[in-house]
Amino acid sequence: MSSLRNAVKRITHKERAQPRARAHLGLLEKKQDYKKRAVDYQQKRDRLQAMKLRADMRNPDEFYMGMHNSQMKDGKHTNKTSDNIISAEVVKLMKNQDLAHVRYQQQKETKKIERLQSTLHFIDKNNSSDRNHIVFVDDQQKAELFDVVQHFQTLPQLADRAFNRPRVGTLMPEAEDDDGGEHNAKKAKKQRIQKVVEKHKLIKIAKARDVSYAELQGRITRQEAIANAESHLCVEKLVAGKGRKRKVKEAEDGKPAV
């Protein structure tokens, strides 16, 4: 029955149009139009009531310090800006204080960078040609037959490393000849546990190293920004001084003109 009821044609309800006698007044106002007009009227009424209540409750002896620096012009409150002009001597003093603060921050960053560099080893995996490990041999024949893996006694996978390059004896210790099989099994289990612990330690060390290098890179970037700000302040100080100035070089890469 529901499908049959939906199949029956229904009456189309049309909106009532403006009567012909009132056609000169425009379109007939609908409920949504009346609601917008009513909401706007209520907001204006409430605002006028609040302003009237505030005027009635006003204290004639009320005083604020801001009244000294404001006045009425054409019915509007305006601030007096003539008394707030900063003299050239005060501006120069503020610039010098800013320059001193920037130099102090730069010294702090430089000391922190030096302290980080003293505790870290610079490792550049992407550009290994800048770092050379020189090994001296007796003659030309040994130099031609030189084997990195055999010389450092490590695995071929670890030969390219400049750090954390353990020897083969450390990775695979030789088993001692013991008569008891149970003792060998316990010892092997202990060695496996020790390897897992060492692996976790190496992972923690690598994470700490990455965090330290990220901090170092961030401080180097901050030091460059502070140095750039110091250059701008120095140029402004020189330009504000007496004497004739002449530009020698245009500003480039965020650095001030010279």
Side-chain angles (χ1 to χ4, degrees):
M1 293 298 294
S2 60
S3 60
L4 182 60
R5 183 174 65 247
N6 294 331
V8 176
K9 184 178 180 180
R10 299 181 181 179
I11 300 175
T12 303
H13 296 279
K14 298 180 180 180
E15 294 186 0
R16 179 172 173 239
Q18 182 75 284
R20 185 176 301 175
R22 296 173 54 88
H24 63 281
L25 300 176
L27 297 176
L28 181 65
E29 186 181 39
K30 304 299 188 297
K31 181 179 179 180
Q32 55 184 0
D33 303 326
Y34 164 76
K35 187 174 182 180
K36 291 180 181 179
R37 184 164 54 84
V39 169
D40 181 65
Y41 168 77
Q42 292 171 3
Q43 290 178 353
K44 292 178 179 178
R45 182 196 60 192
D46 296 341
R47 187 176 180 183
L48 289 174
Q49 289 179 356
M51 292 173 64
K52 186 175 181 300
L53 179 61
R54 187 180 300 176
D56 294 339
M57 300 296 292
R58 178 180 174 274
N59 184 7
D61 298 330
E62 189 175 7
F63 174 77
Y64 295 101
M65 295 299 298
M67 294 179 181
H68 286 298
N69 301 326
S70 63
Q71 60 184 355
M72 291 287 292
K73 282 187 179 180
D74 299 332
K76 295 182 179 180
H77 282 279
T78 57
N79 295 327
K80 298 179 181 179
T81 57
S82 58
D83 299 336
N84 297 330
I85 299 176
I86 302 176
S87 61
E89 292 78 7
V90 177
V91 173
K92 187 176 180 180
L93 178 61
M94 293 171 63
K95 292 288 185 181
N96 291 334
Q97 291 178 352
D98 293 341
L99 183 59
H101 178 70
V102 168
R103 287 175 177 172
Y104 171 70
Q105 293 294 333
Q106 188 178 12
Q107 291 178 359
K108 286 178 59 178
E109 292 296 329
T110 303
K111 290 181 180 179
K112 290 179 181 179
I113 289 172
E114 291 177 354
R115 185 163 61 250
L116 284 173
Q117 288 178 349
S118 62
T119 56
L120 292 174
H121 300 284
F122 288 93
I123 304 167
D124 192 1
K125 297 180 180 179
N126 298 327
N127 190 9
S128 59
S129 60
D130 297 339
R131 181 181 60 255
N132 296 324
H133 189 165
I134 301 175
V135 179
F136 295 93
V137 294
D138 297 334
D139 51 16
Q140 184 67 24
Q141 184 179 3
K142 290 184 179 180
E144 294 176 355
L145 300 177
F146 181 77
D147 188 5
V148 179
V149 177
Q150 184 178 1
H151 178 76
F152 291 109
Q153 298 180 7
T154 184
L155 297 176
Q157 295 81 2
L158 306 178
D160 296 335
R161 288 189 179 182
F163 71 100
N164 190 19
R165 186 171 53 199
R167 297 178 181 271
V168 178
T170 305
L171 296 174
M172 294 180 294
E174 297 180 359
E176 299 180 356
D177 296 335
D178 296 329
D179 295 337
E182 184 179 356
H183 180 70
N184 292 336
K186 291 182 179 180
K187 188 174 182 180
K189 183 178 180 181
K190 185 178 180 180
Q191 289 177 356
R192 289 195 299 270
I193 295 174
Q194 187 176 2
K195 287 182 181 179
V196 173
V197 173
E198 291 293 334
K199 183 178 180 181
H200 286 291
K201 287 183 179 179
L202 291 176
I203 293 174
K204 289 183 179 180
I205 293 172
K207 288 183 179 179
R209 185 181 65 248
D210 294 340
V211 171
S212 300
Y213 275 108
E215 181 183 0
L216 178 60
Q217 185 62 35
R219 293 198 178 278
I220 292 175
T221 305
R222 175 179 169 81
Q223 186 189 27
E224 293 176 356
I226 293 175
N228 192 14
E230 181 185 3
S231 301
H232 281 278
L233 290 174
C234 290
V235 170
E236 290 179 4
K237 183 178 180 181
L238 294 175
V239 171
K242 296 181 179 180
R244 183 181 178 184
K245 286 84 178 175
R246 181 178 299 174
K247 185 185 293 186
V248 179
K249 186 180 180 181
E250 294 290 340
E252 58 181 6
D253 297 335
K255 297 181 180 180
V258 182

